[in-house]
PDB file of all heavy atoms in Angstrom:
ATOM      1  N   SER B  22      -4.723  -3.843  13.243  1.00 87.00           N
ATOM      2  CA  SER B  22      -3.858  -3.180  14.214  1.00 87.00           C
ATOM      3  C   SER B  22      -2.414  -3.634  14.040  1.00 87.00           C
ATOM      4  O   SER B  22      -2.143  -4.767  13.638  1.00 87.00           O
ATOM      5  CB  SER B  22      -4.329  -3.489  15.636  1.00 87.00           C
ATOM      6  OG  SER B  22      -4.284  -4.887  15.875  1.00 87.00           O
ATOM      7  N   GLY B  23      -1.504  -2.729  14.352  1.00 84.00           N
ATOM      8  CA  GLY B  23      -0.093  -3.062  14.231  1.00 84.00           C
ATOM      9  C   GLY B  23       0.462  -2.936  12.839  1.00 84.00           C
ATOM     10  O   GLY B  23       1.594  -3.366  12.574  1.00 84.00           O
ATOM     11  N   GLY B  24      -0.322  -2.357  11.934  1.00 88.00           N
ATOM     12  CA  GLY B  24       0.178  -2.141  10.575  1.00 88.00           C
ATOM     13  C   GLY B  24      -0.026  -3.293   9.628  1.00 88.00           C
ATOM     14  O   GLY B  24       0.487  -3.274   8.507  1.00 88.00           O
ATOM     15  N   GLY B  25      -0.769  -4.315  10.035  1.00 93.00           N
ATOM     16  CA  GLY B  25      -1.011  -5.453   9.151  1.00 93.00           C
ATOM     17  C   GLY B  25      -2.245  -5.263   8.286  1.00 93.00           C
ATOM     18  O   GLY B  25      -2.814  -4.174   8.192  1.00 93.00           O
ATOM     19  N   PHE B  26      -2.683  -6.334   7.665  1.00 97.00           N
ATOM     20  CA  PHE B  26      -3.873  -6.281   6.818  1.00 97.00           C
ATOM     21  C   PHE B  26      -4.482  -7.674   6.732  1.00 97.00           C
ATOM     22  O   PHE B  26      -3.835  -8.682   7.033  1.00 97.00           O
ATOM     23  CB  PHE B  26      -3.535  -5.775   5.410  1.00 97.00           C
ATOM     24  CG  PHE B  26      -2.625  -6.693   4.637  1.00 97.00           C
ATOM     25  CD1 PHE B  26      -3.138  -7.751   3.889  1.00 97.00           C
ATOM     26  CD2 PHE B  26      -1.246  -6.513   4.662  1.00 97.00           C
ATOM     27  CE1 PHE B  26      -2.303  -8.617   3.201  1.00 97.00           C
ATOM     28  CE2 PHE B  26      -0.402  -7.383   3.968  1.00 97.00           C
ATOM     29  CZ  PHE B  26      -0.932  -8.427   3.242  1.00 97.00           C
ATOM     30  N   GLU B  27      -5.733  -7.712   6.309  1.00 97.00           N
ATOM     31  CA  GLU B  27      -6.425  -8.955   5.981  1.00 97.00           C
ATOM     32  C   GLU B  27      -7.174  -8.753   4.679  1.00 97.00           C
ATOM     33  O   GLU B  27      -7.564  -7.636   4.345  1.00 97.00           O
ATOM     34  CB  GLU B  27      -7.421  -9.332   7.091  1.00 97.00           C
ATOM     35  CG  GLU B  27      -6.776  -9.718   8.401  1.00 97.00           C
ATOM     36  CD  GLU B  27      -7.818 -10.083   9.453  1.00 97.00           C
ATOM     37  OE1 GLU B  27      -9.019  -9.806   9.221  1.00 97.00           O
ATOM     38  OE2 GLU B  27      -7.424 -10.646  10.489  1.00 97.00           O
ATOM     39  N   ILE B  28      -7.358  -9.825   3.932  1.00 98.00           N
ATOM     40  CA  ILE B  28      -8.169  -9.749   2.728  1.00 98.00           C
ATOM     41  C   ILE B  28      -9.518 -10.411   3.003  1.00 98.00           C
ATOM     42  O   ILE B  28      -9.633 -11.271   3.886  1.00 98.00           O
ATOM     43  CB  ILE B  28      -7.471 -10.397   1.511  1.00 98.00           C
ATOM     44  CG1 ILE B  28      -7.297 -11.906   1.709  1.00 98.00           C
ATOM     45  CG2 ILE B  28      -6.133  -9.730   1.246  1.00 98.00           C
ATOM     46  CD1 ILE B  28      -6.745 -12.615   0.474  1.00 98.00           C
ATOM     47  N   ASP B  29     -10.531  -9.986   2.261  1.00 98.00           N
ATOM     48  CA  ASP B  29     -11.846 -10.618   2.382  1.00 98.00           C
ATOM     49  C   ASP B  29     -11.790 -11.955   1.654  1.00 98.00           C
ATOM     50  O   ASP B  29     -11.819 -12.013   0.417  1.00 98.00           O
ATOM     51  CB  ASP B  29     -12.925  -9.710   1.779  1.00 98.00           C
ATOM     52  CG  ASP B  29     -14.327 -10.231   2.055  1.00 98.00           C
ATOM     53  OD1 ASP B  29     -14.498 -11.454   2.211  1.00 98.00           O
ATOM     54  OD2 ASP B  29     -15.264  -9.410   2.083  1.00 98.00           O
ATOM     55  N   LEU B  30     -11.707 -13.025   2.407  1.00 96.00           N
ATOM     56  CA  LEU B  30     -11.475 -14.347   1.836  1.00 96.00           C
ATOM     57  C   LEU B  30     -12.655 -14.881   1.041  1.00 96.00           C
ATOM     58  O   LEU B  30     -12.511 -15.843   0.289  1.00 96.00           O
ATOM     59  CB  LEU B  30     -11.113 -15.332   2.946  1.00 96.00           C
ATOM     60  CG  LEU B  30      -9.789 -15.040   3.670  1.00 96.00           C
ATOM     61  CD1 LEU B  30      -9.638 -15.936   4.879  1.00 96.00           C
ATOM     62  CD2 LEU B  30      -8.607 -15.216   2.718  1.00 96.00           C
ATOM     63  N   SER B  31     -13.820 -14.245   1.178  1.00 97.00           N
ATOM     64  CA  SER B  31     -14.978 -14.723   0.426  1.00 97.00           C
ATOM     65  C   SER B  31     -14.810 -14.499  -1.077  1.00 97.00           C
ATOM     66  O   SER B  31     -15.518 -15.110  -1.883  1.00 97.00           O
ATOM     67  CB  SER B  31     -16.250 -14.034   0.910  1.00 97.00           C
ATOM     68  OG  SER B  31     -16.209 -12.635   0.666  1.00 97.00           O
ATOM     69  N   TYR B  32     -13.867 -13.653  -1.471  1.00 98.00           N
ATOM     70  CA  TYR B  32     -13.630 -13.387  -2.888  1.00 98.00           C
ATOM     71  C   TYR B  32     -12.569 -14.324  -3.482  1.00 98.00           C
ATOM     72  O   TYR B  32     -12.298 -14.251  -4.682  1.00 98.00           O
ATOM     73  CB  TYR B  32     -13.171 -11.945  -3.083  1.00 98.00           C
ATOM     74  CG  TYR B  32     -14.254 -10.919  -2.827  1.00 98.00           C
ATOM     75  CD1 TYR B  32     -14.348 -10.263  -1.599  1.00 98.00           C
ATOM     76  CD2 TYR B  32     -15.200 -10.610  -3.803  1.00 98.00           C
ATOM     77  CE1 TYR B  32     -15.340  -9.335  -1.349  1.00 98.00           C
ATOM     78  CE2 TYR B  32     -16.202  -9.673  -3.564  1.00 98.00           C
ATOM     79  CZ  TYR B  32     -16.265  -9.048  -2.345  1.00 98.00           C
ATOM     80  OH  TYR B  32     -17.255  -8.120  -2.104  1.00 98.00           O
ATOM     81  N   PHE B  33     -11.968 -15.192  -2.651  1.00 97.00           N
ATOM     82  CA  PHE B  33     -10.849 -16.014  -3.115  1.00 97.00           C
ATOM     83  C   PHE B  33     -11.033 -17.461  -2.652  1.00 97.00           C
ATOM     84  O   PHE B  33     -11.660 -17.735  -1.636  1.00 97.00           O
ATOM     85  CB  PHE B  33      -9.529 -15.442  -2.596  1.00 97.00           C
ATOM     86  CG  PHE B  33      -9.319 -14.004  -3.006  1.00 97.00           C
ATOM     87  CD1 PHE B  33      -9.645 -12.973  -2.143  1.00 97.00           C
ATOM     88  CD2 PHE B  33      -8.839 -13.710  -4.269  1.00 97.00           C
ATOM     89  CE1 PHE B  33      -9.479 -11.648  -2.526  1.00 97.00           C
ATOM     90  CE2 PHE B  33      -8.674 -12.394  -4.660  1.00 97.00           C
ATOM     91  CZ  PHE B  33      -9.001 -11.353  -3.781  1.00 97.00           C
ATOM     92  N   ARG B  34     -10.438 -18.401  -3.406  1.00 92.00           N
ATOM     93  CA  ARG B  34     -10.662 -19.823  -3.170  1.00 92.00           C
ATOM     94  C   ARG B  34      -9.408 -20.567  -2.699  1.00 92.00           C
ATOM     95  O   ARG B  34      -9.476 -21.761  -2.408  1.00 92.00           O
ATOM     96  CB  ARG B  34     -11.188 -20.469  -4.454  1.00 92.00           C
ATOM     97  CG  ARG B  34     -10.200 -20.463  -5.606  1.00 92.00           C
ATOM     98  CD  ARG B  34     -10.727 -21.227  -6.831  1.00 92.00           C
ATOM     99  NE  ARG B  34     -11.682 -20.458  -7.601  1.00 92.00           N
ATOM    100  CZ  ARG B  34     -12.960 -20.819  -7.783  1.00 92.00           C
ATOM    101  NH1 ARG B  34     -13.412 -21.917  -7.235  1.00 92.00           N
ATOM    102  NH2 ARG B  34     -13.766 -20.072  -8.500  1.00 92.00           N
ATOM    103  N   HIS B  35      -8.265 -19.921  -2.626  1.00 91.00           N
ATOM    104  CA  HIS B  35      -7.007 -20.613  -2.388  1.00 91.00           C
ATOM    105  C   HIS B  35      -6.922 -21.283  -1.016  1.00 91.00           C
ATOM    106  O   HIS B  35      -6.222 -22.274  -0.850  1.00 91.00           O
ATOM    107  CB  HIS B  35      -5.843 -19.618  -2.517  1.00 91.00           C
ATOM    108  CG  HIS B  35      -5.865 -18.528  -1.489  1.00 91.00           C
ATOM    109  ND1 HIS B  35      -6.806 -17.523  -1.509  1.00 91.00           N
ATOM    110  CD2 HIS B  35      -5.083 -18.290  -0.390  1.00 91.00           C
ATOM    111  CE1 HIS B  35      -6.590 -16.700  -0.482  1.00 91.00           C
ATOM    112  NE2 HIS B  35      -5.567 -17.147   0.201  1.00 91.00           N
ATOM    113  N   HIS B  36      -7.634 -20.757  -0.032  1.00 87.00           N
ATOM    114  CA  HIS B  36      -7.499 -21.223   1.343  1.00 87.00           C
ATOM    115  C   HIS B  36      -8.406 -22.403   1.681  1.00 87.00           C
ATOM    116  O   HIS B  36      -8.208 -23.069   2.707  1.00 87.00           O
ATOM    117  CB  HIS B  36      -7.787 -20.078   2.310  1.00 87.00           C
ATOM    118  CG  HIS B  36      -9.159 -19.495   2.118  1.00 87.00           C
ATOM    119  ND1 HIS B  36      -9.530 -18.850   0.961  1.00 87.00           N
ATOM    120  CD2 HIS B  36     -10.246 -19.469   2.933  1.00 87.00           C
ATOM    121  CE1 HIS B  36     -10.784 -18.445   1.074  1.00 87.00           C
ATOM    122  NE2 HIS B  36     -11.243 -18.814   2.256  1.00 87.00           N
ATOM    123  N   THR B  37      -9.412 -22.666   0.865  1.00 83.00           N
ATOM    124  CA  THR B  37     -10.338 -23.773   1.139  1.00 83.00           C
ATOM    125  C   THR B  37     -10.341 -24.803   0.019  1.00 83.00           C
ATOM    126  O   THR B  37     -10.127 -25.999   0.250  1.00 83.00           O
ATOM    127  CB  THR B  37     -11.762 -23.240   1.340  1.00 83.00           C
ATOM    128  OG1 THR B  37     -12.130 -22.429   0.211  1.00 83.00           O
ATOM    129  CG2 THR B  37     -11.852 -22.413   2.614  1.00 83.00           C
ATOM    130  N   GLU B  38     -10.580 -24.342  -1.198  1.00 79.00           N
ATOM    131  CA  GLU B  38     -10.655 -25.264  -2.336  1.00 79.00           C
ATOM    132  C   GLU B  38      -9.278 -25.622  -2.877  1.00 79.00           C
ATOM    133  O   GLU B  38      -9.075 -26.682  -3.455  1.00 79.00           O
ATOM    134  CB  GLU B  38     -11.487 -24.635  -3.460  1.00 79.00           C
ATOM    135  CG  GLU B  38     -12.914 -24.293  -3.069  1.00 79.00           C
ATOM    136  CD  GLU B  38     -13.637 -23.606  -4.202  1.00 79.00           C
ATOM    137  OE1 GLU B  38     -13.391 -23.957  -5.375  1.00 79.00           O
ATOM    138  OE2 GLU B  38     -14.444 -22.703  -3.930  1.00 79.00           O
ATOM    139  N   GLY B  39      -8.322 -24.686  -2.710  1.00 73.00           N
ATOM    140  CA  GLY B  39      -7.015 -24.880  -3.314  1.00 73.00           C
ATOM    141  C   GLY B  39      -7.014 -24.419  -4.753  1.00 73.00           C
ATOM    142  O   GLY B  39      -8.048 -24.120  -5.345  1.00 73.00           O
ATOM    143  N   VAL B  40      -5.832 -24.335  -5.346  1.00 78.00           N
ATOM    144  CA  VAL B  40      -5.662 -23.870  -6.720  1.00 78.00           C
ATOM    145  C   VAL B  40      -4.752 -24.851  -7.438  1.00 78.00           C
ATOM    146  O   VAL B  40      -3.687 -25.214  -6.923  1.00 78.00           O
ATOM    147  CB  VAL B  40      -5.041 -22.455  -6.743  1.00 78.00           C
ATOM    148  CG1 VAL B  40      -4.847 -21.987  -8.172  1.00 78.00           C
ATOM    149  CG2 VAL B  40      -5.921 -21.471  -5.967  1.00 78.00           C
ATOM    150  N   SER B  41      -5.155 -25.306  -8.620  1.00 75.00           N
ATOM    151  CA  SER B  41      -4.311 -26.229  -9.381  1.00 75.00           C
ATOM    152  C   SER B  41      -3.053 -25.511  -9.835  1.00 75.00           C
ATOM    153  O   SER B  41      -3.102 -24.416 -10.376  1.00 75.00           O
ATOM    154  CB  SER B  41      -5.083 -26.759 -10.598  1.00 75.00           C
ATOM    155  OG  SER B  41      -5.469 -25.702 -11.456  1.00 75.00           O
ATOM    156  N   MET B  42      -1.894 -26.138  -9.575  1.00 77.00           N
ATOM    157  CA  MET B  42      -0.610 -25.527  -9.921  1.00 77.00           C
ATOM    158  C   MET B  42       0.350 -26.580 -10.442  1.00 77.00           C
ATOM    159  O   MET B  42       0.308 -27.729 -10.010  1.00 77.00           O
ATOM    160  CB  MET B  42       0.007 -24.844  -8.693  1.00 77.00           C
ATOM    161  CG  MET B  42      -0.771 -23.680  -8.138  1.00 77.00           C
ATOM    162  SD  MET B  42       0.047 -22.916  -6.710  1.00 77.00           S
ATOM    163  CE  MET B  42      -0.215 -24.210  -5.473  1.00 77.00           C
ATOM    164  N   THR B  43       1.219 -26.190 -11.367  1.00 80.00           N
ATOM    165  CA  THR B  43       2.321 -27.047 -11.789  1.00 80.00           C
ATOM    166  C   THR B  43       3.612 -26.252 -11.641  1.00 80.00           C
ATOM    167  O   THR B  43       3.727 -25.139 -12.155  1.00 80.00           O
ATOM    168  CB  THR B  43       2.166 -27.508 -13.251  1.00 80.00           C
ATOM    169  OG1 THR B  43       2.083 -26.352 -14.117  1.00 80.00           O
ATOM    170  CG2 THR B  43       0.912 -28.335 -13.425  1.00 80.00           C
ATOM    171  N   TRP B  44       4.564 -26.829 -10.925  1.00 77.00           N
ATOM    172  CA  TRP B  44       5.822 -26.137 -10.651  1.00 77.00           C
ATOM    173  C   TRP B  44       7.028 -26.976 -11.047  1.00 77.00           C
ATOM    174  O   TRP B  44       8.096 -26.823 -10.475  1.00 77.00           O
ATOM    175  CB  TRP B  44       5.921 -25.812  -9.158  1.00 77.00           C
ATOM    176  CG  TRP B  44       4.870 -24.900  -8.629  1.00 77.00           C
ATOM    177  CD1 TRP B  44       3.869 -25.226  -7.768  1.00 77.00           C
ATOM    178  CD2 TRP B  44       4.697 -23.506  -8.912  1.00 77.00           C
ATOM    179  NE1 TRP B  44       3.091 -24.123  -7.504  1.00 77.00           N
ATOM    180  CE2 TRP B  44       3.579 -23.047  -8.180  1.00 77.00           C
ATOM    181  CE3 TRP B  44       5.385 -22.590  -9.722  1.00 77.00           C
ATOM    182  CZ2 TRP B  44       3.135 -21.730  -8.226  1.00 77.00           C
ATOM    183  CZ3 TRP B  44       4.942 -21.274  -9.776  1.00 77.00           C
ATOM    184  CH2 TRP B  44       3.837 -20.859  -9.035  1.00 77.00           C
ATOM    185  N   ASP B  45       6.889 -27.849 -12.000  1.00 78.00           N
ATOM    186  CA  ASP B  45       8.009 -28.741 -12.297  1.00 78.00           C
ATOM    187  C   ASP B  45       8.089 -29.025 -13.789  1.00 78.00           C
ATOM    188  O   ASP B  45       7.120 -29.473 -14.402  1.00 78.00           O
ATOM    189  CB  ASP B  45       7.844 -30.064 -11.530  1.00 78.00           C
ATOM    190  CG  ASP B  45       9.106 -30.906 -11.560  1.00 78.00           C
ATOM    191  OD1 ASP B  45      10.165 -30.370 -11.962  1.00 78.00           O
ATOM    192  OD2 ASP B  45       9.047 -32.088 -11.188  1.00 78.00           O
ATOM    193  N   GLY B  46       9.231 -28.729 -14.374  1.00 82.00           N
ATOM    194  CA  GLY B  46       9.527 -29.166 -15.724  1.00 82.00           C
ATOM    195  C   GLY B  46       8.869 -28.388 -16.839  1.00 82.00           C
ATOM    196  O   GLY B  46       8.419 -28.983 -17.822  1.00 82.00           O
ATOM    197  N   GLY B  47       8.799 -27.075 -16.756  1.00 88.00           N
ATOM    198  CA  GLY B  47       8.244 -26.297 -17.861  1.00 88.00           C
ATOM    199  C   GLY B  47       7.613 -25.008 -17.389  1.00 88.00           C
ATOM    200  O   GLY B  47       7.902 -24.503 -16.305  1.00 88.00           O
ATOM    201  N   GLU B  48       6.715 -24.486 -18.217  1.00 90.00           N
ATOM    202  CA  GLU B  48       6.039 -23.240 -17.869  1.00 90.00           C
ATOM    203  C   GLU B  48       5.105 -23.466 -16.683  1.00 90.00           C
ATOM    204  O   GLU B  48       4.297 -24.403 -16.685  1.00 90.00           O
ATOM    205  CB  GLU B  48       5.223 -22.732 -19.063  1.00 90.00           C
ATOM    206  CG  GLU B  48       4.476 -21.434 -18.785  1.00 90.00           C
ATOM    207  CD  GLU B  48       3.629 -20.995 -19.964  1.00 90.00           C
ATOM    208  OE1 GLU B  48       3.512 -21.775 -20.933  1.00 90.00           O
ATOM    209  OE2 GLU B  48       3.080 -19.887 -19.913  1.00 90.00           O
ATOM    210  N   PRO B  49       5.197 -22.635 -15.643  1.00 91.00           N
ATOM    211  CA  PRO B  49       4.288 -22.816 -14.511  1.00 91.00           C
ATOM    212  C   PRO B  49       2.860 -22.457 -14.888  1.00 91.00           C
ATOM    213  O   PRO B  49       2.620 -21.557 -15.691  1.00 91.00           O
ATOM    214  CB  PRO B  49       4.834 -21.843 -13.461  1.00 91.00           C
ATOM    215  CG  PRO B  49       5.581 -20.815 -14.240  1.00 91.00           C
ATOM    216  CD  PRO B  49       6.119 -21.512 -15.445  1.00 91.00           C
ATOM    217  N   THR B  50       1.915 -23.187 -14.342  1.00 89.00           N
ATOM    218  CA  THR B  50       0.502 -22.895 -14.582  1.00 89.00           C
ATOM    219  C   THR B  50      -0.214 -22.776 -13.243  1.00 89.00           C
ATOM    220  O   THR B  50       0.198 -23.372 -12.253  1.00 89.00           O
ATOM    221  CB  THR B  50      -0.174 -23.985 -15.429  1.00 89.00           C
ATOM    222  OG1 THR B  50      -0.133 -25.233 -14.712  1.00 89.00           O
ATOM    223  CG2 THR B  50       0.521 -24.150 -16.764  1.00 89.00           C
ATOM    224  N   MET B  51      -1.296 -22.021 -13.248  1.00 89.00           N
ATOM    225  CA  MET B  51      -2.049 -21.811 -12.025  1.00 89.00           C
ATOM    226  C   MET B  51      -3.509 -21.594 -12.363  1.00 89.00           C
ATOM    227  O   MET B  51      -3.835 -20.817 -13.265  1.00 89.00           O
ATOM    228  CB  MET B  51      -1.492 -20.601 -11.265  1.00 89.00           C
ATOM    229  CG  MET B  51      -2.150 -20.347  -9.921  1.00 89.00           C
ATOM    230  SD  MET B  51      -1.357 -18.974  -9.034  1.00 89.00           S
ATOM    231  CE  MET B  51       0.240 -19.691  -8.714  1.00 89.00           C
TER     232      MET B  51
END
């Protein structure tokens, strides 16, 4: 409602397990 959206979180891991990322000193990885 109100024009928003939600995603089905069961298909994604970023909110519970986290995702390995590097954001410093070179090519970013994820």
Side-chain angles (χ1 to χ4, degrees):
S22 60
F26 65 87
E27 292 180 348
I28 65 174
D29 188 332
L30 295 171
S31 64
Y32 290 98
F33 303 97
R34 65 175 78 242
H35 64 289
H36 58 295
T37 54
E38 300 177 36
V40 179
S41 60
M42 296 181 289
T43 58
W44 298 111
D45 192 13
E48 180 183 8
T50 63
M51 184 176 293

